[in-house]
Amino acid sequence: MDSLAPSESQGVAMVVKTRDRLLEILDEQLYYLHSSSSAFDQGHRHEAKRLAVTIRTLLHDTSMSRSLLGQLAFKNQWLFMDTAGSLNMQNPLPLMPFLMMRSTVVDDQGRVVASYEPMLDDGPPRPGGYAARPFEEWWTMLVVRDGSGEIFSRKDLVMALANKEGGAHIDPHTQDRIAALAAGETLGWMIGDVDGERAVEDDPILPCVRQIAFELLETIRCRQLIPEFGGA
């Protein structure tokens, strides 16, 4: 059962959660992670915001709170699946290893709508499989570079959705670089149809966070903490 401990900030007794209770909460968070992933894959792209909040709960430490995987002493013991790989910074083009572009013909005139989609495990084959990295390296390594040269880590993308764009909070102010990336203004990807060539206007942050959720689910699955969930 949970035990009581004094709170230094308020001078009142606080409940200290037992490991069994933390594992129960982990089960709940993994259910959220899987259900929102499935909903995203069925077309409910706004579920990426709930994915961001769940990922934050599992992984992000602050001066006021500790992540769930940190409290369970898993976070710094595990290696995390990396589907992005190291960015080739010598490549002058935008770098989006998490994503592929899907184009759909929407009328009989040949008009096309394009969207960014997560790679999941459909990326190019890699000799030896995907890399596995210690948490801090995985969380802060660069996984996106847009056409303006701005670079983003997993942490940047997850926290932007969770804290700024309505996952858990709606901030009236958003960093210019995040706003430009979310609008698809800085990637430089183009699509053409009967109306001519134009930039792809789709938010790449949402499928990026879905890809991060995929990596996290696969990491946890390898630790045999969750059953096999089809399509997650």
Side-chain angles (χ1 to χ4, degrees), residues 92-147:
L93 298 175
L95 301 173
M96 301 284 289
F98 279 162
L99 304 181
M100 57 185 170
M101 189 174 71
R102 174 182 295 166
S103 59
T104 305
V105 178
V106 295
D107 63 25
D108 55 10
Q109 301 300 312
R111 290 182 175 84
V112 172
V113 171
S115 62
Y116 296 114
E117 303 296 335
M119 282 284 190
L120 303 182
D121 59 353
D122 293 330
R126 299 186 185 183
Y130 295 114
R133 302 181 187 275
F135 172 74
E136 196 61 31
E137 177 186 354
W138 178 85
W139 190 227
T140 60
M141 67 183 287
L142 305 179
V143 293
V144 172
R145 189 187 68 194
D146 69 13

Side-chain angles (χ1 to χ4, degrees), residues 217-231:
L217 279 167
E218 289 300 305
T219 296
I220 296 172
R221 193 194 321 275
C222 288
R223 296 292 173 170
Q224 299 181 336
L225 290 178
I226 56 175
E228 288 294 328
F229 286 129

Side-chain angles (χ1 to χ4, degrees), residues 7-162:
S7 167
E8 295 180 1
S9 60
Q10 298 180 2
V12 297
M14 300 289 287
V15 174
V16 177
K17 291 180 173 60
T18 64
R19 186 172 182 82
D20 285 346
R21 178 57 185 144
L22 291 174
L23 289 171
E24 289 175 1
I25 296 171
L26 177 61
D27 284 342
E28 295 170 0
Q29 295 298 316
L30 295 181
Y31 173 82
Y32 301 152
L33 198 63
H34 175 256
S35 61
S36 288
S37 293
S38 296
F40 182 101
D41 295 345
Q42 293 166 18
H44 303 288
R45 294 171 74 87
H46 57 275
E47 286 289 338
K49 296 181 180 182
R50 288 207 273 200
L51 286 172
V53 173
T54 303
I55 294 168
R56 186 187 67 175
T57 298
L58 289 168
L59 298 176
H60 184 58
D61 292 316
T62 72
S63 60
M64 300 295 292
S65 63
R66 291 184 61 202
S67 63
L68 182 54
L69 291 185
Q71 292 184 61
L72 286 165
F74 292 151
K75 189 173 73 172
N76 293 322
Q77 294 180 4
W78 292 354
L79 297 177
F80 288 73
M81 180 183 189
D82 170 27
T83 62
S86 299
L87 298 188
N88 177 9
M89 302 304 286
Q90 302 304 312
N91 186 336
L93 298 175
L95 301 173
M96 301 284 289
F98 279 162
L99 304 181
M100 57 185 170
M101 189 174 71
R102 174 182 295 166
S103 59
T104 305
V105 178
V106 295
D107 63 25
D108 55 10
Q109 301 300 312
R111 290 182 175 84
V112 172
V113 171
S115 62
Y116 296 114
E117 303 296 335
M119 282 284 190
L120 303 182
D121 59 353
D122 293 330
R126 299 186 185 183
Y130 295 114
R133 302 181 187 275
F135 172 74
E136 196 61 31
E137 177 186 354
W138 178 85
W139 190 227
T140 60
M141 67 183 287
L142 305 179
V143 293
V144 172
R145 189 187 68 194
D146 69 13
S148 299
E150 294 286 349
I151 50 181
F152 304 87
S153 65
R154 291 176 176 86
K155 179 180 178 180
D156 292 330
L157 301 171
V158 168
M159 301 307 290
L161 272 194

